Amino acid sequence: MNHYKIAIVGAGPAGYFTAQALQNEANDERTFSIDLIERLPTPWGLVRSGVAPDHPKIKTVAKVFEKVAADPNFRLFANVELGKDLQLADLTDRYDAVVLCTGSSKGKNLGIPGEELPNSISAAEFVPWYNGHPDYEKFEVDLSGKVALVIGAGNVAMDCARMLAVEAHELDETDTAEHAMKKLHESEIKKVFITARRGAEFAAFTAPELRDLPKLEHTDVYINQDDIDMAQTRAAAKGEIEKHVASNLEAMRLIAESTKSGNEKSMEFLFQYVPKEIVGSGKVEGVIFDTPNGEKRIDCDLVISAIGYESIPYVGVEFEKGKIKNVDGRVANSNIYTVGWAKRGPSGVIGTNKSDASDVVELLLTDLSTPKNVGDITEVLKSDHLVVDQSYWQRINEAETKAGESAGKPRIKGTSIEALLSLGRP
Ligand code: NAP
């Protein structure tokens, strides 16, 4: 019987699905001790700080994560930062394999003039801000203007736009961070544009998310019917329209045809708007676009770019093109592997990480030989380091959930490291 020790860094969906894939591979010949290391005092990654608060069903996957964590051979080491509290070599020396599931948390730059103006922000800041990520507790979002403009045609852009375009009271029973709820209740934003640089046939939105939009009670959603007709014609001219494109266009057509109720708040999609410059004196006042009908300016008070993410590099492994340099999840000449956005870039839904993890674990298993059996993370961490282990996290989780009960919310989140640590203190 071989007993292997595996360290996983990053307790988001990729980390948990990697642990689950390893647990599924345990048998009479091999078992695995899994140590899951996480920088924040809270696990669950994007399920906690990425998924939009008004999409609670997506977050139910956390039940799977907690089941993984209940295995006696699983340990959580949260509040432990790679590069600060320990180095990658501390793990590669001691564990049979190290799986990096550190995601990609930096927003890609547009690379156009004016991007640095105040009130031009990234979804990589706005999303963790409304979700109560401790790094963004003090982030300032100015919602005092009337018009917001979101650049990008993916689901993150749609989440950002929807969070601004619904009435704040519709979010009262969600786990949106308290600081964000206060700002959203005071928000003056009435109109939110979503701009796509290409035609509707290339939009990265997914159909279920689009289909939810006409159901919004207090927000009118506009798409120009001509944009959909032209997209359909262009796509058909290239041959058979792909299934996901057809259902996206169909969902967009339903939005175009939906009855508008004259709501004060609205969302409007603009296609073939290539951002050229963000303009304003002292702060954002508008965005200039190249369009098929020439240059157009849209006046706005806030710009959110939601054009994808890249990994923030760290020492001990090579990064290229915003990801960890790897071949199918293997990092060359090492016992390091990677799963999730750190491996493949910021694509796919949460479930995509499940198959990704299984594929990488399959490779990892073929590389394993005799177990190292030379200690673990506990030898490296300072004796007074406050580790948030599974029971500490459970206390945080219970305290947050209990705080939410009286307000009819799934939870009220601790939004600073100190607050989270004190919520779980025994
Ligand atoms: P995404 O789906 O890759 O969309 C990025 C968008 O940004 C694309 O429309 C892209 O247009 C555009 N873009 C890129 N560079 C640009 C530039 N320089 N100027 C203007 N536009 C630019 O990324 P995402 O929205 O960040 O989402 C990441 C992943 O998370 C996706 O797989 C998404 O489905 C998933 N997600 C899922 C949900 C959900 O299931 N509810 C929610 C949120 C996120 P081009 O196509 O022209 O490059």
Side-chain angles (χ1 to χ4, degrees):
M1 161 73 83
N2 282 330
H3 187 70
Y4 296 103
K5 279 185 285 186
I6 314 288
I8 301 173
V9 185
Y16 278 100
F17 283 128
T18 300
Q20 186 189 47
L22 285 161
Q23 288 171 352
N24 290 344
E25 292 292 342
N27 55 33
D28 292 344
E29 281 153 35
R30 60 179 182 221
T31 54
F32 304 98
S33 281
I34 298 165
D35 288 344
L36 179 59
I37 298 152
E38 163 61 45
R39 174 172 76 92
L40 295 177
T42 52
W44 302 356
L46 282 183
V47 169
R48 182 176 166 102
S49 57
V51 173
D54 60 342
H55 281 170
K57 265 197 203 147
I58 300 179
K59 300 188 192 212
T60 55
V61 68
K63 284 193 193 136
V64 176
F65 302 162
E66 291 305 292
K67 206 169 157 210
V68 168
D71 187 289
N73 282 323
F74 174 98
R75 296 189 296 181
L76 177 67
F77 287 85
N79 199 37
V80 174
E81 185 170 346
L82 185 65
K84 189 172 143 219
D85 302 316
L86 51 80
Q87 305 303 322
L88 195 51
D90 294 327
L91 299 176
T92 51
D93 286 351
R94 289 173 177 78
Y95 288 82
D96 295 295
V98 178
V99 189
L100 301 174
C101 302
T102 43
S104 33
S105 55
K106 186 187 171 299
K108 280 191 185 144
N109 287 333
L110 282 161
I112 57 173
E115 196 174 6
E116 67 300 332
L117 277 172
N119 289 2
S120 158
I121 62 173
S122 166
E125 299 165 316
F126 184 59
V127 172
W129 170 76
Y130 65 61
N131 273 323
H133 189 297
D135 289 356
Y136 294 90
E137 197 200 11
K138 302 265 182 308
F139 187 71
E140 288 294 330
V141 180
D142 180 358
L143 304 180
S144 62
K146 295 226 167 345
V147 182
L149 187 147
V150 184
I151 297 176
N155 284 334
V156 171
M158 211 196 306
D159 284 348
C160 293
R162 208 179 53 253
M163 286 296 287
L164 291 171
V166 296
E167 291 287 353
H169 68 79
E170 296 179 85
L171 299 169
D172 281 345
E173 294 189 357
T174 68
D175 62 2
T176 308
E178 298 292 280
H179 56 242
M181 280 313 300
K182 184 170 181 295
K183 271 283 169 99
L184 289 167
H185 272 287
E186 294 163 2
S187 168
E188 293 292 334
I189 304 276
K190 304 284 182 271
K191 173 99 193 173
V192 184
F193 289 100
I194 302 189
T195 64
R197 65 176 168 180
R198 296 194 283 163
E201 70 275 35
F202 298 108
F205 311 122
T206 48
E209 277 64 32
L210 285 165
R211 274 193 234 107
D212 277 347
L213 293 181
K215 297 179 199 155
L216 294 177
E217 260 185 83
H218 303 285
T219 310
D220 289 342
V221 186
Y222 294 89
I223 288 184
N224 187 337
Q225 180 97 44
D226 292 345
D227 281 331
I228 308 307
D229 292 342
M230 287 185 298
Q232 190 100 32
T233 308
R234 284 190 300 262
K238 286 188 187 159
E240 200 181 334
I241 302 180
E242 282 176 81
K243 208 171 152 211
H244 78 276
V245 175
S247 56
N248 256 9
L249 290 176
E250 184 52 34
M252 289 191 234
R253 187 178 298 285
L254 290 178
I255 295 173
E257 290 167 359
S258 65
T259 316
K260 316 297 182 239
S261 315
N263 283 308
E264 202 185 14
K265 291 228 176 194
S266 68
M267 253 167 97
E268 182 169 346
F269 290 73
L270 299 173
F271 293 98
Q272 295 181 288
Y273 271 60
V274 181
K276 199 175 169 191
E277 186 176 355
I278 301 174
V279 290
S281 66
K283 64 182 171 89
V284 167
E285 288 171 8
V287 182
I288 296 172
F289 294 90
D290 277 330
T291 80
N293 301 318
E295 199 172 272
K296 291 229 165 118
R297 173 181 161 139
I298 296 183
D299 290 338
C300 60
D301 309 285
L302 173 70
V303 171
I304 301 178
S305 65
I307 60 165
Y309 295 81
E310 56 196 18
S311 297
I312 300 172
Y314 43 85
V315 175
V317 67
E318 203 180 328
F319 284 77
E320 68 172 6
K321 295 182 185 152
K323 304 179 274 192
I324 291 174
K325 189 174 177 187
N326 73 91
V327 177
D328 298 332
R330 263 196 193 113
V331 174
N333 306 318
S334 73
N335 58 345
I336 302 175
Y337 301 81
T338 177
V339 172
W341 284 11
K343 171 203 169 201
R344 59 177 204 275
S347 66
V349 294
I350 286 165
T352 311
N353 297 297
K354 187 168 176 166
S355 48
D356 193 12
S358 301
D359 293 346
V360 175
V361 163
E362 207 175 298
L363 288 182
L364 181 159
L365 293 177
T366 63
D367 295 343
L368 288 177
S369 54
T370 316
K372 271 195 179 137
N373 208 11
V374 286
D376 61 31
I377 180 177
T378 54
E379 292 171 351
V380 186
L381 293 174
K382 288 202 180 114
S383 57
D384 61 349
H385 188 92
L386 177 53
V387 171
V388 171
D389 60 10
Q390 183 62 18
S391 47
Y392 200 123
W393 154 239
Q394 275 167 350
R395 289 193 298 274
I396 298 176
N397 196 12
E398 275 160 30
E400 287 189 337
T401 319
K402 192 151 181 272
E405 263 167 30
S406 54
K409 297 170 188 269
R411 68 177 63 237
I412 293 180
K413 288 177 181 172
T415 54
S416 69
I417 304 287
E418 301 73 38
L420 288 163
L421 292 177
S422 86
L423 279 179
R425 203 160 272 131

